[in-house]
Amino acid sequence: MATELIRIPGSDFQTEEMILNLGPQHPSTHGVLRVVLKIDGEVITAAQPDVGYLHRGTEKLAENRTYPQMLVISDRWDYLSAMSNNLIWCLAVEKLLQIEVPLRGDYLRVIMVELNRIASHLVFFGTYGIDIGAYTPFLHAFREREKILDLFEEVSGARMTYNYIRIGGVMADLPEDWIGKCRSFLEWIKPRFVEYDILLTENPIFKDRTQNIGIISKEDAISYAITGPNLRGCGISFDLRKDEPYCHYQDFKFDVPTGKQGDCWDRYWVRIQEMKESVKIVEQALDHLPTGVPNAKVPRIIRPPVGESYAQLEAPRGVLGIYCLSAGEDKPYRVHVRAPSFINLTILQKILVGMKLADVVAILGSIDIVLGEVDR
Amino acid sequence: MINYFKTIYQVSKALLQGMAVTGRWLFQPAITVQYPDEKLTPPERFRGTLVFDKETCTACNLCVKACPTACISLEPYVDPATQKRIAKVNWYQIDFGKCNYCRLCEEACPTKPIKSVRHSHDYEWSMKERSEMFVKWKRDPSPVIADTPKDTGTKAA
Ligand code: SF4
Ligand code: SF4
């Protein structure tokens, strides 16, 4: 009696988990981000974001920069929305100095920050299309963004590193007929949103690639301290412009769009709606722009009293906060930046698990990070 | 089966709608500018390369203190006869490798009505070596050594 050897088909296949590096030099990581993926076939079993390739140590640099000089550095955090960075630094220092900015200054700040939010979301819209494989939206988005950058260039002299919002107000009042140009831009961009919906939002292929992908649950979003459109995409209506108004945001009427289930498409949709809301805010601000001087009186050498301050605002990517500790010198003793991109990025290791490899880029793009801010 | 054809229909419809958007833009004038044949005029507040006026500068050091990256250095002029510092510079140097083009130096400069150090509207400027990024202005009596960026004169006086 000979024993029969039973062979299970496929049992001699060698299968093992593979480690795949996404980045740091990868066009879809929007900068130098490395994600170490452990994959089992096509399914991701673990993901580890690796940050720090763009680290410039700006928090340390702040310790030997005077307060106005630090503004120049703040432009370089989230370079897609440098106005928000300028504003948050000014808010933190003004809190230390106990300065009240005149109403016109506040309104000018709101106009700039909201225009910058549109520009920043336009970059997201364009590059997210490319991530998914649609090239046309990119060209449309950058055409619109170019117009905003032209407006900024006229008002501040630079296209990305504005250094426009200053401690106590703004750099200078609006140039002549800037308001007219801004209005014609707003009129021009409104019909563009319809085109965006045709091109991307309602496209069935795009929807298939993004709906039910990378779902963030409400609980996860809160426990990972996700903010901004990523949080609102989960259906949580939290927006500092409404919940803790700064710069007279309480004067403006706007809605806070929220998604339903927190998938990639919801996060995308929230950003598109936010652009429309920003248009509304800028229109209201232009309509009710107060007259007067935009700047408060600020001492020539800024030497805040000993103390600490924390200011936060709703940047295009989430809650941007500055903790500033003054020792009574003309330079801060310690500065900490609460960078929304950095904190939003941490959810990646949770939501990537169980997803297919092809969805990684879609999910990463929908988180909308800026590496300059992640690494600072 | 019905779903299958439905999807095909929906996708092709969306495709045609998208093409229609593209098609509409196809017949509109191009928005791109053919640089370097065509050029845009920079706005009034444009922050281009820095120019320096070596005659009006009073060597007050305010720009050096204002600069966030410490890229300006200067030496005040000392009269050889009397050994006294006078309100003129001997030389003035900007390291354009470090410059942020931030206008803090221009804002700090006290000379009136034209600032001694100011942004021009010039943006076409390239260097091959790092040493060329140090631009030095020398005041008379010694002759100018380094080449200076040309001031196109577009900035209002
Ligand atoms: S523009 Fe800014 S970085 Fe450049 S020299 Fe002037 S202060 Fe320094
Ligand atoms: S350029 Fe202006 S700020 Fe600088 S040393 Fe001369 S006068 Fe003073």
Side-chain angles (χ1 to χ4, degrees):
Chain A
M1 243 172 86
T3 40
E4 207 179 323
L5 203 65
I6 303 172
R7 294 193 127 223
I8 303 166
S11 66
D12 50 350
F13 283 177
Q14 296 280 317
T15 63
E16 55 182 54
E17 287 191 337
M18 193 173 93
I19 289 186
L20 184 78
N21 268 311
L22 182 78
Q25 315 294 344
H26 189 283
S28 291
T29 53
H30 300 265
V32 276
L33 168 72
R34 174 169 167 235
V35 188
V36 185
L37 299 167
K38 237 189 222 161
I39 47 177
D40 178 10
E42 265 199 73
V43 181
I44 290 156
T45 53
Q48 188 67 50
D50 185 7
V51 299
Y53 290 91
L54 204 62
H55 181 65
R56 293 154 295 175
T58 48
E59 290 179 8
K60 183 71 188 165
L61 283 178
E63 292 168 21
N64 47 28
R65 297 280 183 289
T66 63
Y67 290 91
Q69 284 177 352
M70 193 50 204
L71 262 179
V72 178
I73 310 274
S74 78
D75 280 331
R76 273 100 180 144
W77 295 329
D78 179 355
Y79 39 76
L80 291 182
S81 63
M83 287 287 183
S84 304
N85 301 347
N86 285 173
L87 179 57
I88 188 59
W89 177 250
C90 294
L91 287 180
V93 177
E94 281 156 13
K95 247 188 190 175
L96 276 176
L97 287 168
Q98 314 262 343
I99 292 181
E100 274 288 324
V101 177
L103 200 57
R104 186 177 172 88
D106 265 351
Y107 270 57
L108 288 181
R109 288 171 168 197
V110 167
I111 292 172
M112 296 307 155
V113 171
E114 291 304 324
L115 279 178
N116 213 172
R117 189 185 310 274
I118 301 176
S120 169
H121 284 348
L122 278 173
V123 175
F124 162 79
F125 168 75
T127 52
Y128 197 46
I130 291 196
D131 286 349
I132 302 288
Y135 194 76
T136 319
F138 173 76
L139 299 173
H140 283 253
F142 270 63
R143 178 191 58 204
E144 271 78 275
R145 176 171 179 261
E146 193 61 32
K147 293 192 183 261
I148 302 182
L149 294 191
D150 282 349
L151 286 174
F152 282 155
E153 196 178 17
E154 232 163 276
V155 85
S156 74
R159 288 161 50 83
M160 283 179 83
T161 51
Y162 311 113
N163 193 13
Y164 176 69
I165 295 171
R166 297 288 175 87
I167 297 163
V170 293
M171 181 184 100
D173 213 330
L174 297 176
E176 262 177 72
D177 69 308
W178 190 87
I179 293 181
K181 280 181 193 158
C182 187
R183 273 190 202 282
S184 59
F185 165 73
L186 294 176
E187 285 310 315
W188 192 79
I189 197 168
K190 275 185 215 159
R192 300 287 91 78
F193 293 130
V194 184
E195 289 183 356
Y196 296 168
D197 285 351
I198 297 172
L199 282 175
L200 209 54
T201 316
E202 295 303 334
N203 188 301
I205 304 173
F206 177 71
K207 275 186 158 176
D208 275 357
R209 292 265 344 243
T210 50
Q211 273 179 338
N212 299 320
I213 300 288
I215 296 176
I216 304 178
S217 68
K218 281 186 187 180
E219 295 72 34
D220 277 347
I222 292 171
S223 64
Y224 276 83
I226 304 291
T227 45
N230 297 330
L231 177 70
R232 293 191 282 277
C234 311
I236 302 172
S237 171
F238 173 76
D239 190 323
L240 280 181
R241 292 175 291 171
K242 277 264 194 256
D243 299 332
E244 197 193 305
Y246 49 92
C247 285
H248 290 92
Y249 261 109
Q250 63 273 28
D251 297 359
F252 304 105
K253 281 196 191 64
F254 61 98
D255 300 326
V256 178
T258 50
K260 288 193 184 68
Q261 53 170 349
D263 56 9
C264 291
W265 193 81
D266 276 346
R267 291 195 280 277
Y268 162 87
W269 181 83
V270 164
R271 290 195 179 91
I272 297 288
Q273 302 307 313
E274 271 185 16
M275 284 200 261
K276 298 179 188 167
E277 299 303 322
S278 293
V279 170
K280 277 191 215 163
I281 297 176
V282 178
E283 275 182 340
Q284 292 171 40
L286 288 178
D287 285 341
H288 306 288
L289 191 63
T291 48
V293 285
N295 285 347
K297 279 238 171 335
V298 180
R300 258 183 80 105
I301 294 174
I302 294 173
R303 225 184 273 271
V306 180
E308 54 182 8
S309 72
Y310 182 75
Q312 52 182 3
L313 59 70
E314 188 72 35
R317 282 170 188 77
V319 174
L320 174 64
I322 293 271
Y323 171 72
C324 185
L325 186 62
S326 160
E329 307 277 315
D330 58 347
K331 292 166 184 158
Y333 182 78
R334 172 81 171 95
V335 170
H336 175 72
V337 187
R338 186 220 186 263
S341 292
F342 177 64
I343 292 164
N344 292 349
L345 188 64
T346 54
I347 192 83
L348 212 57
Q349 47 202 336
K350 168 109 190 174
I351 55 172
L352 278 186
V353 174
M355 287 286 147
K356 292 265 171 24
L357 191 57
D359 296 330
V360 172
V361 167
I363 295 172
L364 185 60
S366 75
I367 303 278
D368 189 24
I369 48 165
V370 163
L371 263 298
E373 189 177 65
V374 172
D375 296 340
R376 298 190 295 291
Chain B
M1 194 64 179
I2 291 178
N3 267 345
Y4 179 73
F5 285 109
K6 227 179 177 173
T7 315
I8 290 184
Y9 167 72
Q10 277 172 348
V11 171
S12 21
K13 192 176 139 213
L15 199 69
L16 288 177
Q17 280 174 332
M19 291 299 275
V21 172
T22 312
R24 233 173 293 146
W25 283 100
L26 190 64
F27 299 103
Q28 302 203 6
I31 52 155
T32 43
V33 174
Q34 297 302 323
Y35 182 84
D37 297 334
E38 299 167 46
K39 280 179 198 172
L40 299 170
T41 25
E44 176 55 42
R45 292 182 187 170
F46 184 72
R47 305 203 295 252
T49 51
L50 288 165
V51 289
F52 175 69
D53 187 344
K54 54 185 184 288
E55 293 306 325
T56 56
C57 173
T58 58
C60 67
N61 245 3
L62 284 180
C63 54
V64 179
K65 285 195 192 119
C67 180
T69 40
C71 54
I72 307 178
S73 47
L74 61 84
E75 190 183 271
Y77 182 71
V78 181
D79 196 341
T82 56
Q83 291 299 314
K84 273 209 183 115
R85 270 180 64 165
I86 57 169
K88 292 278 175 204
V89 279
N90 202 358
W91 53 260
Y92 187 93
Q93 177 177 294
I94 298 178
D95 178 1
F96 281 96
K98 284 188 196 166
C99 179
N100 290 306
Y101 299 90
C102 66
R103 187 173 278 152
L104 291 187
C105 51
E106 183 182 328
E107 281 169 13
C109 184
T111 52
K112 278 175 197 156
I114 311 171
K115 307 270 186 181
S116 292
V117 60
R118 60 181 186 273
H119 286 278
S120 66
H121 282 183
D122 214 17
Y123 54 89
E124 294 168 314
W125 197 21
S126 63
M127 296 99 159
K128 290 198 206 79
E129 280 172 35
R130 201 180 286 180
S131 58
E132 289 175 47
M133 291 178 172
F134 291 91
V135 175
K136 197 167 186 175
W137 289 267
K138 269 204 162 191
R139 207 178 66 88
D140 287 337
S142 39
V144 181
I145 290 181
D147 52 338
T148 56
K150 60 179 190 302
D151 182 0
T152 44
T154 32
K155 180 97 186 172

